[in-house]
Amino acid sequence: MASAFYASVPSLHTVQRLKNLVEQKSGGAGAAGACRLWVGEHDRYGYAVLRATVAGKRIHFLAHRLAFFLHFLGTMMLIDTMNVSHICHNKKCIKVEHLSYEPQSVNNSRKKCLATRECTGHHGYPKCIL
């Protein structure tokens, strides 16, 4: 399961292989401020996914969570009770600047921003990109 992967420090070989896969499956950096879109597989909910074999186990990654983890590798571990949220509201985006590590309650409050097309803020977390 991916959650065990995020609580570990993978080998340099594994990190480089996953970074290469993420690079291959993303649409490039794009314009300044624009989303970095995943061009690989998506799940039934529209989230970008990557399936890879790590240490002999087949793992299903949410691409935005994996991109966030690889970017901050060595400075933080991801835990199951926290979300990596899309502040741009684009499920296919893996641009680290468009992602926020936050509790489920903050992630849920972002739905109101999308519905009203206005963000009044999320105490201690980045505002939505609308």
Side-chain angles (χ1 to χ4, degrees):
M1 181 172 215
S3 59
F5 174 81
Y6 295 127
S8 67
V9 178
S11 71
L12 290 176
H13 172 73
T14 298
V15 168
Q16 192 56 53
R17 192 167 61 80
L18 289 171
K19 282 184 176 182
N20 289 342
L21 286 170
V22 168
E23 187 65 32
Q24 290 171 10
K25 298 287 184 178
S26 67
C35 291
R36 183 175 189 181
L37 299 179
W38 186 256
V39 295
E41 183 181 357
H42 297 84
D43 68 11
R44 65 181 174 190
Y45 304 106
Y47 287 96
V49 296
L50 174 69
R51 299 177 200 281
T53 302
V54 177
K57 294 180 184 173
R58 190 82 171 144
I59 300 178
H60 172 256
F61 294 100
L62 288 172
H64 68 287
R65 194 166 172 92
L66 178 61
F68 189 88
F69 175 77
L70 293 172
H71 182 80
F72 290 104
L73 187 65
T75 61
M76 68 187 317
M77 298 294 173
L78 303 185
I79 57 174
D80 285 344
T81 57
M82 296 287 279
N83 292 171
V84 175
S85 302
H86 294 94
I87 62 173
C88 60
H89 302 283
N90 188 335
K91 295 176 182 181
K92 297 174 184 175
C93 182
I94 64 163
K95 187 172 192 167
V96 175
E97 294 85 357
H98 289 192
L99 303 173
S100 176
Y101 189 58
E102 58 197 26
Q104 181 70 43
S105 60
V106 175
N107 187 0
N108 287 341
S109 72
R110 293 187 184 281
K111 293 175 186 174
K112 180 181 176 191
C113 300
L114 186 59
T116 62
R117 301 301 301 163
E118 180 182 358
C119 182
T120 57
H122 306 279
H123 185 68
Y125 297 95
K127 282 189 161 191
C128 294
I129 300 170
L130 298 168

